[in-house]
Short mmCIF file of all heavy atoms in Angstrom, two decimals:
data_model
loop_
_atom_site.label_atom_id
_atom_site.label_comp_id
_atom_site.label_asym_id
_atom_site.label_seq_id
_atom_site.Cartn_x
_atom_site.Cartn_y
_atom_site.Cartn_z
N GLN A 402 126.89 105.55 111.83
CA GLN A 402 127.45 105.07 113.09
C GLN A 402 126.47 104.86 114.19
O GLN A 402 126.76 104.26 115.16
CB GLN A 402 128.54 106.11 113.60
CG GLN A 402 127.95 107.49 113.85
CD GLN A 402 129.08 108.40 114.28
OE1 GLN A 402 130.25 108.17 113.96
NE2 GLN A 402 128.79 109.41 115.06
N ALA A 403 125.26 105.33 114.03
CA ALA A 403 124.28 105.13 115.08
C ALA A 403 122.88 104.98 114.54
O ALA A 403 122.51 105.73 113.67
CB ALA A 403 124.32 106.29 116.07
N VAL A 404 122.20 103.95 114.96
CA VAL A 404 120.79 103.76 114.56
C VAL A 404 119.94 103.72 115.85
O VAL A 404 120.22 102.88 116.72
CB VAL A 404 120.53 102.46 113.75
CG1 VAL A 404 119.09 102.33 113.39
CG2 VAL A 404 121.47 102.42 112.59
N GLU A 405 119.03 104.63 116.00
CA GLU A 405 118.15 104.60 117.17
C GLU A 405 116.77 104.24 116.67
O GLU A 405 116.16 104.99 115.91
CB GLU A 405 118.14 105.98 117.84
CG GLU A 405 117.25 106.01 119.11
CD GLU A 405 116.88 107.42 119.52
OE1 GLU A 405 117.47 108.40 118.89
OE2 GLU A 405 116.06 107.62 120.40
N ARG A 406 116.28 103.05 117.10
CA ARG A 406 114.95 102.61 116.64
C ARG A 406 113.90 103.25 117.53
O ARG A 406 113.84 103.00 118.79
CB ARG A 406 114.91 101.11 116.75
CG ARG A 406 113.59 100.49 116.38
CD ARG A 406 113.84 99.00 116.13
NE ARG A 406 112.62 98.24 116.25
CZ ARG A 406 112.49 96.99 115.86
NH1 ARG A 406 113.51 96.36 115.35
NH2 ARG A 406 111.35 96.35 115.98
N LEU A 407 113.03 104.06 116.91
CA LEU A 407 111.92 104.65 117.71
C LEU A 407 110.84 103.61 117.93
O LEU A 407 110.32 103.49 119.04
CB LEU A 407 111.33 105.86 116.90
CG LEU A 407 112.29 107.04 116.70
CD1 LEU A 407 111.58 108.15 115.89
CD2 LEU A 407 112.74 107.60 118.04
N ASN A 408 110.46 102.93 116.90
CA ASN A 408 109.56 101.83 117.02
C ASN A 408 109.68 100.97 115.72
O ASN A 408 110.63 101.19 114.98
CB ASN A 408 108.11 102.38 117.23
CG ASN A 408 107.72 103.39 116.18
OD1 ASN A 408 107.97 103.25 114.98
ND2 ASN A 408 107.13 104.52 116.59
N LYS A 409 108.77 100.10 115.51
CA LYS A 409 108.92 99.18 114.42
C LYS A 409 108.91 99.86 113.07
O LYS A 409 109.28 99.24 112.03
CB LYS A 409 107.88 98.07 114.47
CG LYS A 409 106.45 98.54 114.20
CD LYS A 409 105.48 97.40 114.36
CE LYS A 409 104.06 97.88 114.02
NZ LYS A 409 103.09 96.85 114.19
N GLU A 410 108.45 101.09 112.99
CA GLU A 410 108.40 101.85 111.72
C GLU A 410 109.51 102.82 111.50
O GLU A 410 110.11 102.91 110.43
CB GLU A 410 107.06 102.57 111.62
CG GLU A 410 105.87 101.64 111.54
CD GLU A 410 104.56 102.43 111.61
OE1 GLU A 410 104.24 103.20 110.73
OE2 GLU A 410 103.86 102.27 112.66
N TYR A 411 109.80 103.62 112.57
CA TYR A 411 110.73 104.72 112.43
C TYR A 411 112.09 104.47 113.14
O TYR A 411 112.11 103.86 114.25
CB TYR A 411 110.14 105.94 113.02
CG TYR A 411 109.05 106.60 112.20
CD1 TYR A 411 107.73 106.27 112.47
CD2 TYR A 411 109.28 107.47 111.20
CE1 TYR A 411 106.68 106.80 111.72
CE2 TYR A 411 108.28 108.05 110.43
CZ TYR A 411 107.00 107.73 110.70
OH TYR A 411 105.97 108.22 109.94
N SER A 412 113.17 104.97 112.49
CA SER A 412 114.48 104.99 113.14
C SER A 412 115.19 106.29 112.83
O SER A 412 114.89 106.94 111.85
CB SER A 412 115.40 103.84 112.63
OG SER A 412 114.89 102.57 112.89
N ARG A 413 116.08 106.70 113.72
CA ARG A 413 116.93 107.84 113.45
C ARG A 413 118.31 107.27 113.17
O ARG A 413 118.79 106.36 113.83
CB ARG A 413 117.11 108.73 114.67
CG ARG A 413 115.95 109.66 114.92
CD ARG A 413 116.04 110.21 116.33
NE ARG A 413 115.01 111.19 116.59
CZ ARG A 413 115.32 112.50 116.77
NH1 ARG A 413 116.53 112.94 116.72
NH2 ARG A 413 114.33 113.35 116.98
N VAL A 414 118.98 107.78 112.12
CA VAL A 414 120.29 107.29 111.73
C VAL A 414 121.27 108.50 111.74
O VAL A 414 121.03 109.49 111.10
CB VAL A 414 120.29 106.68 110.34
CG1 VAL A 414 121.61 106.02 109.98
CG2 VAL A 414 119.18 105.69 110.21
N ARG A 415 122.32 108.37 112.55
CA ARG A 415 123.32 109.42 112.54
C ARG A 415 124.60 108.90 111.85
O ARG A 415 125.02 107.75 112.14
CB ARG A 415 123.65 109.91 114.00
CG ARG A 415 124.53 111.12 113.94
CD ARG A 415 124.78 111.73 115.33
NE ARG A 415 123.56 112.15 115.94
CZ ARG A 415 123.16 111.71 117.20
NH1 ARG A 415 123.90 110.95 117.86
NH2 ARG A 415 122.03 112.16 117.68
N PHE A 416 125.20 109.70 111.04
CA PHE A 416 126.34 109.31 110.24
C PHE A 416 127.67 109.86 110.81
O PHE A 416 127.64 110.80 111.59
CB PHE A 416 126.14 109.74 108.80
CG PHE A 416 125.01 109.04 108.10
CD1 PHE A 416 123.72 109.47 108.30
CD2 PHE A 416 125.24 107.90 107.35
CE1 PHE A 416 122.65 108.82 107.71
CE2 PHE A 416 124.16 107.22 106.73
CZ PHE A 416 122.88 107.69 106.94
N LYS A 417 128.75 109.26 110.34
CA LYS A 417 130.04 109.75 110.82
C LYS A 417 130.41 111.12 110.29
O LYS A 417 131.22 111.81 110.84
CB LYS A 417 131.11 108.71 110.43
CG LYS A 417 131.12 107.48 111.32
CD LYS A 417 132.33 106.62 111.00
CE LYS A 417 132.43 105.55 112.05
NZ LYS A 417 133.39 104.48 111.64
#
Side-chain angles (χ1 to χ4, degrees):
Chain A
Q402 62 182 25
V404 181
E405 182 199 352
R406 177 163 159 168
L407 297 178
N408 52 45
K409 68 181 182 182
E410 292 171 69
Y411 286 93
S412 297
R413 283 164 174 250
V414 187
R415 188 176 299 127
F416 293 83
K417 283 189 171 167

